[in-house]
PDB file of all heavy atoms in Angstrom:
ATOM      1  N   GLY R   1       0.800  -1.204   0.004  1.00 98.00           N
ATOM      2  CA  GLY R   1      -0.011  -0.012  -0.004  1.00 98.00           C
ATOM      3  C   GLY R   1       0.827   1.258   0.008  1.00 98.00           C
ATOM      4  O   GLY R   1       2.062   1.241  -0.084  1.00 98.00           O
ATOM      5  N   SER R   2       0.160   2.418   0.126  1.00 98.00           N
ATOM      6  CA  SER R   2       0.801   3.692   0.041  1.00 98.00           C
ATOM      7  C   SER R   2       0.317   4.630   1.167  1.00 98.00           C
ATOM      8  O   SER R   2      -0.788   4.497   1.672  1.00 98.00           O
ATOM      9  CB  SER R   2       0.485   4.399  -1.299  1.00 98.00           C
ATOM     10  OG  SER R   2       0.979   3.606  -2.383  1.00 98.00           O
ATOM     11  N   LEU R   3       1.182   5.552   1.536  1.00 98.00           N
ATOM     12  CA  LEU R   3       0.879   6.646   2.466  1.00 98.00           C
ATOM     13  C   LEU R   3       1.608   7.879   1.989  1.00 98.00           C
ATOM     14  O   LEU R   3       2.652   7.801   1.395  1.00 98.00           O
ATOM     15  CB  LEU R   3       1.319   6.310   3.883  1.00 98.00           C
ATOM     16  CG  LEU R   3       0.482   5.270   4.682  1.00 98.00           C
ATOM     17  CD1 LEU R   3       1.220   4.984   5.990  1.00 98.00           C
ATOM     18  CD2 LEU R   3      -0.908   5.782   4.961  1.00 98.00           C
ATOM     19  N   ARG R   4       1.037   9.016   2.358  1.00 98.00           N
ATOM     20  CA  ARG R   4       1.705  10.311   2.099  1.00 98.00           C
ATOM     21  C   ARG R   4       1.842  11.035   3.424  1.00 98.00           C
ATOM     22  O   ARG R   4       0.831  11.345   4.039  1.00 98.00           O
ATOM     23  CB  ARG R   4       1.001  11.175   1.081  1.00 98.00           C
ATOM     24  CG  ARG R   4       1.823  12.406   0.665  1.00 98.00           C
ATOM     25  CD  ARG R   4       1.155  13.302  -0.297  1.00 98.00           C
ATOM     26  NE  ARG R   4       0.118  14.135   0.303  1.00 98.00           N
ATOM     27  CZ  ARG R   4      -0.272  15.310  -0.174  1.00 98.00           C
ATOM     28  NH1 ARG R   4       0.237  15.763  -1.291  1.00 98.00           N
ATOM     29  NH2 ARG R   4      -1.230  15.987   0.474  1.00 98.00           N
ATOM     30  N   LEU R   5       3.060  11.334   3.825  1.00 98.00           N
ATOM     31  CA  LEU R   5       3.327  12.083   5.014  1.00 98.00           C
ATOM     32  C   LEU R   5       3.500  13.549   4.695  1.00 98.00           C
ATOM     33  O   LEU R   5       4.049  13.887   3.636  1.00 98.00           O
ATOM     34  CB  LEU R   5       4.601  11.569   5.712  1.00 98.00           C
ATOM     35  CG  LEU R   5       4.679  10.082   6.017  1.00 98.00           C
ATOM     36  CD1 LEU R   5       5.957   9.760   6.786  1.00 98.00           C
ATOM     37  CD2 LEU R   5       3.461   9.624   6.820  1.00 98.00           C
ATOM     38  N   SER R   6       3.063  14.404   5.580  1.00 98.00           N
ATOM     39  CA  SER R   6       3.222  15.847   5.428  1.00 98.00           C
ATOM     40  C   SER R   6       4.034  16.417   6.581  1.00 98.00           C
ATOM     41  O   SER R   6       3.944  15.918   7.707  1.00 98.00           O
ATOM     42  CB  SER R   6       1.856  16.531   5.376  1.00 98.00           C
ATOM     43  OG  SER R   6       1.106  16.146   4.265  1.00 98.00           O
ATOM     44  N   CYS R   7       4.770  17.455   6.334  1.00 98.00           N
ATOM     45  CA  CYS R   7       5.594  18.130   7.332  1.00 98.00           C
ATOM     46  C   CYS R   7       5.361  19.640   7.157  1.00 98.00           C
ATOM     47  O   CYS R   7       5.792  20.257   6.182  1.00 98.00           O
ATOM     48  CB  CYS R   7       7.044  17.803   7.119  1.00 98.00           C
ATOM     49  SG  CYS R   7       8.214  18.745   8.176  1.00 98.00           S
ATOM     50  N   GLU R   8       4.646  20.225   8.100  1.00 98.00           N
ATOM     51  CA  GLU R   8       4.317  21.656   8.084  1.00 98.00           C
ATOM     52  C   GLU R   8       5.158  22.438   9.054  1.00 98.00           C
ATOM     53  O   GLU R   8       5.192  22.119  10.274  1.00 98.00           O
ATOM     54  CB  GLU R   8       2.831  21.874   8.390  1.00 98.00           C
ATOM     55  CG  GLU R   8       1.896  21.243   7.410  1.00 98.00           C
ATOM     56  CD  GLU R   8       0.446  21.549   7.684  1.00 98.00           C
ATOM     57  OE1 GLU R   8       0.185  22.470   8.481  1.00 98.00           O
ATOM     58  OE2 GLU R   8      -0.416  20.870   7.119  1.00 98.00           O
ATOM     59  N   ALA R   9       5.908  23.407   8.562  1.00 97.00           N
ATOM     60  CA  ALA R   9       6.685  24.306   9.383  1.00 97.00           C
ATOM     61  C   ALA R   9       5.987  25.671   9.504  1.00 97.00           C
ATOM     62  O   ALA R   9       5.463  26.163   8.492  1.00 97.00           O
ATOM     63  CB  ALA R   9       8.099  24.506   8.802  1.00 97.00           C
ATOM     64  N   SER R  10       5.975  26.217  10.681  1.00 96.00           N
ATOM     65  CA  SER R  10       5.305  27.514  10.905  1.00 96.00           C
ATOM     66  C   SER R  10       6.149  28.353  11.808  1.00 96.00           C
ATOM     67  O   SER R  10       7.025  27.876  12.547  1.00 96.00           O
ATOM     68  CB  SER R  10       3.903  27.294  11.465  1.00 96.00           C
ATOM     69  OG  SER R  10       3.949  26.640  12.712  1.00 96.00           O
ATOM     70  N   GLY R  11       5.866  29.663  11.830  1.00 94.00           N
ATOM     71  CA  GLY R  11       6.592  30.599  12.659  1.00 94.00           C
ATOM     72  C   GLY R  11       7.271  31.654  11.829  1.00 94.00           C
ATOM     73  O   GLY R  11       6.912  31.919  10.680  1.00 94.00           O
ATOM     74  N   SER R  12       8.286  32.271  12.403  1.00 93.00           N
ATOM     75  CA  SER R  12       8.999  33.394  11.751  1.00 93.00           C
ATOM     76  C   SER R  12      10.059  32.831  10.785  1.00 93.00           C
ATOM     77  O   SER R  12      11.252  32.898  11.091  1.00 93.00           O
ATOM     78  CB  SER R  12       9.590  34.320  12.795  1.00 93.00           C
ATOM     79  OG  SER R  12      10.453  33.597  13.671  1.00 93.00           O
ATOM     80  N   ILE R  13       9.621  32.325   9.674  1.00 95.00           N
ATOM     81  CA  ILE R  13      10.484  31.639   8.708  1.00 95.00           C
ATOM     82  C   ILE R  13      10.783  32.527   7.536  1.00 95.00           C
ATOM     83  O   ILE R  13       9.885  33.006   6.863  1.00 95.00           O
ATOM     84  CB  ILE R  13       9.839  30.337   8.228  1.00 95.00           C
ATOM     85  CG1 ILE R  13       9.629  29.357   9.402  1.00 95.00           C
ATOM     86  CG2 ILE R  13      10.689  29.685   7.144  1.00 95.00           C
ATOM     87  CD1 ILE R  13       8.815  28.149   9.080  1.00 95.00           C
ATOM     88  N   ALA R  14      12.081  32.721   7.251  1.00 94.00           N
ATOM     89  CA  ALA R  14      12.526  33.410   6.046  1.00 94.00           C
ATOM     90  C   ALA R  14      12.692  32.412   4.884  1.00 94.00           C
ATOM     91  O   ALA R  14      12.287  32.684   3.758  1.00 94.00           O
ATOM     92  CB  ALA R  14      13.801  34.182   6.277  1.00 94.00           C
ATOM     93  N   SER R  15      13.329  31.254   5.167  1.00 95.00           N
ATOM     94  CA  SER R  15      13.508  30.227   4.150  1.00 95.00           C
ATOM     95  C   SER R  15      13.813  28.921   4.848  1.00 95.00           C
ATOM     96  O   SER R  15      14.245  28.904   6.006  1.00 95.00           O
ATOM     97  CB  SER R  15      14.628  30.617   3.195  1.00 95.00           C
ATOM     98  OG  SER R  15      15.876  30.717   3.872  1.00 95.00           O
ATOM     99  N   ILE R  16      13.604  27.812   4.122  1.00 96.00           N
ATOM    100  CA  ILE R  16      13.972  26.488   4.565  1.00 96.00           C
ATOM    101  C   ILE R  16      14.967  25.920   3.572  1.00 96.00           C
ATOM    102  O   ILE R  16      14.582  25.655   2.428  1.00 96.00           O
ATOM    103  CB  ILE R  16      12.716  25.610   4.712  1.00 96.00           C
ATOM    104  CG1 ILE R  16      11.730  26.208   5.689  1.00 96.00           C
ATOM    105  CG2 ILE R  16      13.129  24.211   5.145  1.00 96.00           C
ATOM    106  CD1 ILE R  16      10.435  25.443   5.818  1.00 96.00           C
ATOM    107  N   THR R  17      16.164  25.727   3.987  1.00 96.00           N
ATOM    108  CA  THR R  17      17.212  25.261   3.073  1.00 96.00           C
ATOM    109  C   THR R  17      17.102  23.757   2.790  1.00 96.00           C
ATOM    110  O   THR R  17      17.254  23.313   1.640  1.00 96.00           O
ATOM    111  CB  THR R  17      18.610  25.585   3.581  1.00 96.00           C
ATOM    112  OG1 THR R  17      18.806  25.060   4.890  1.00 96.00           O
ATOM    113  CG2 THR R  17      18.838  27.098   3.594  1.00 96.00           C
ATOM    114  N   PHE R  18      16.846  22.960   3.812  1.00 98.00           N
ATOM    115  CA  PHE R  18      16.708  21.529   3.711  1.00 98.00           C
ATOM    116  C   PHE R  18      15.489  21.045   4.470  1.00 98.00           C
ATOM    117  O   PHE R  18      15.157  21.584   5.515  1.00 98.00           O
ATOM    118  CB  PHE R  18      17.938  20.771   4.243  1.00 98.00           C
ATOM    119  CG  PHE R  18      19.200  21.039   3.475  1.00 98.00           C
ATOM    120  CD1 PHE R  18      20.077  21.998   3.900  1.00 98.00           C
ATOM    121  CD2 PHE R  18      19.514  20.238   2.386  1.00 98.00           C
ATOM    122  CE1 PHE R  18      21.256  22.210   3.216  1.00 98.00           C
ATOM    123  CE2 PHE R  18      20.707  20.477   1.681  1.00 98.00           C
ATOM    124  CZ  PHE R  18      21.557  21.424   2.106  1.00 98.00           C
ATOM    125  N   MET R  19      14.796  20.052   3.892  1.00 98.00           N
ATOM    126  CA  MET R  19      13.771  19.322   4.583  1.00 98.00           C
ATOM    127  C   MET R  19      14.116  17.853   4.443  1.00 98.00           C
ATOM    128  O   MET R  19      14.414  17.391   3.332  1.00 98.00           O
ATOM    129  CB  MET R  19      12.361  19.599   4.093  1.00 98.00           C
ATOM    130  CG  MET R  19      11.977  21.059   4.216  1.00 98.00           C
ATOM    131  SD  MET R  19      10.201  21.331   3.962  1.00 98.00           S
ATOM    132  CE  MET R  19       9.536  20.787   5.546  1.00 98.00           C
ATOM    133  N   ALA R  20      14.082  17.106   5.555  1.00 98.00           N
ATOM    134  CA  ALA R  20      14.475  15.728   5.525  1.00 98.00           C
ATOM    135  C   ALA R  20      13.495  14.878   6.326  1.00 98.00           C
ATOM    136  O   ALA R  20      12.847  15.369   7.247  1.00 98.00           O
ATOM    137  CB  ALA R  20      15.872  15.562   6.129  1.00 98.00           C
ATOM    138  N   TRP R  21      13.443  13.609   5.950  1.00 98.00           N
ATOM    139  CA  TRP R  21      12.659  12.640   6.699  1.00 98.00           C
ATOM    140  C   TRP R  21      13.598  11.579   7.240  1.00 98.00           C
ATOM    141  O   TRP R  21      14.459  11.042   6.540  1.00 98.00           O
ATOM    142  CB  TRP R  21      11.631  11.954   5.787  1.00 98.00           C
ATOM    143  CG  TRP R  21      10.475  12.847   5.451  1.00 98.00           C
ATOM    144  CD1 TRP R  21      10.344  13.625   4.314  1.00 98.00           C
ATOM    145  CD2 TRP R  21       9.314  13.060   6.225  1.00 98.00           C
ATOM    146  NE1 TRP R  21       9.173  14.300   4.348  1.00 98.00           N
ATOM    147  CE2 TRP R  21       8.512  13.976   5.509  1.00 98.00           C
ATOM    148  CE3 TRP R  21       8.833  12.574   7.442  1.00 98.00           C
ATOM    149  CZ2 TRP R  21       7.265  14.407   5.982  1.00 98.00           C
ATOM    150  CZ3 TRP R  21       7.610  13.002   7.913  1.00 98.00           C
ATOM    151  CH2 TRP R  21       6.858  13.927   7.187  1.00 98.00           C
ATOM    152  N   TYR R  22      13.444  11.253   8.534  1.00 98.00           N
ATOM    153  CA  TYR R  22      14.125  10.196   9.218  1.00 98.00           C
ATOM    154  C   TYR R  22      13.097   9.203   9.689  1.00 98.00           C
ATOM    155  O   TYR R  22      11.903   9.508   9.824  1.00 98.00           O
ATOM    156  CB  TYR R  22      14.916  10.733  10.389  1.00 98.00           C
ATOM    157  CG  TYR R  22      16.107  11.584  10.012  1.00 98.00           C
ATOM    158  CD1 TYR R  22      15.940  12.942   9.699  1.00 98.00           C
ATOM    159  CD2 TYR R  22      17.419  11.109  10.045  1.00 98.00           C
ATOM    160  CE1 TYR R  22      17.003  13.739   9.394  1.00 98.00           C
ATOM    161  CE2 TYR R  22      18.466  11.919   9.743  1.00 98.00           C
ATOM    162  CZ  TYR R  22      18.278  13.250   9.413  1.00 98.00           C
ATOM    163  OH  TYR R  22      19.375  14.026   9.089  1.00 98.00           O
ATOM    164  N   ARG R  23      13.542   7.998  10.023  1.00 98.00           N
ATOM    165  CA  ARG R  23      12.675   7.036  10.629  1.00 98.00           C
ATOM    166  C   ARG R  23      13.463   6.179  11.659  1.00 98.00           C
ATOM    167  O   ARG R  23      14.676   6.021  11.560  1.00 98.00           O
ATOM    168  CB  ARG R  23      12.016   6.096   9.596  1.00 98.00           C
ATOM    169  CG  ARG R  23      12.984   5.146   8.920  1.00 98.00           C
ATOM    170  CD  ARG R  23      12.256   4.332   7.840  1.00 98.00           C
ATOM    171  NE  ARG R  23      13.138   3.433   7.142  1.00 98.00           N
ATOM    172  CZ  ARG R  23      12.803   2.740   6.059  1.00 98.00           C
ATOM    173  NH1 ARG R  23      11.591   2.881   5.531  1.00 98.00           N
ATOM    174  NH2 ARG R  23      13.677   1.892   5.487  1.00 98.00           N
ATOM    175  N   GLN R  24      12.702   5.627  12.606  1.00 98.00           N
ATOM    176  CA  GLN R  24      13.285   4.734  13.579  1.00 98.00           C
ATOM    177  C   GLN R  24      12.365   3.549  13.752  1.00 98.00           C
ATOM    178  O   GLN R  24      11.258   3.705  14.267  1.00 98.00           O
ATOM    179  CB  GLN R  24      13.545   5.439  14.920  1.00 98.00           C
ATOM    180  CG  GLN R  24      14.275   4.587  15.935  1.00 98.00           C
ATOM    181  CD  GLN R  24      14.781   5.347  17.107  1.00 98.00           C
ATOM    182  OE1 GLN R  24      14.396   6.515  17.345  1.00 98.00           O
ATOM    183  NE2 GLN R  24      15.685   4.766  17.869  1.00 98.00           N
ATOM    184  N   GLY R  25      12.789   2.391  13.307  1.00 97.00           N
ATOM    185  CA  GLY R  25      12.016   1.167  13.442  1.00 97.00           C
ATOM    186  C   GLY R  25      12.208   0.535  14.815  1.00 97.00           C
ATOM    187  O   GLY R  25      13.098   0.935  15.574  1.00 97.00           O
ATOM    188  N   PRO R  26      11.370  -0.438  15.139  1.00 94.00           N
ATOM    189  CA  PRO R  26      11.471  -1.140  16.451  1.00 94.00           C
ATOM    190  C   PRO R  26      12.866  -1.740  16.628  1.00 94.00           C
ATOM    191  O   PRO R  26      13.334  -2.510  15.780  1.00 94.00           O
ATOM    192  CB  PRO R  26      10.426  -2.210  16.370  1.00 94.00           C
ATOM    193  CG  PRO R  26       9.437  -1.699  15.347  1.00 94.00           C
ATOM    194  CD  PRO R  26      10.285  -0.979  14.358  1.00 94.00           C
TER     195      PRO R  26
END
């Protein structure tokens, strides 16, 4: 199957240079 994850950043942001996803399995 499939899933789509979202990552929303908020606050006093001028720019976001990198966005990354990490995971930790059991």
Side-chain angles (χ1 to χ4, degrees):
S2 299
L3 286 172
R4 189 181 77 155
L5 306 183
S6 297
C7 173
E8 297 184 15
S10 60
S12 56
I13 298 170
S15 63
I16 301 175
T17 54
F18 295 95
M19 299 193 78
W21 288 94
Y22 293 79
R23 69 185 180 188
Q24 186 167 14

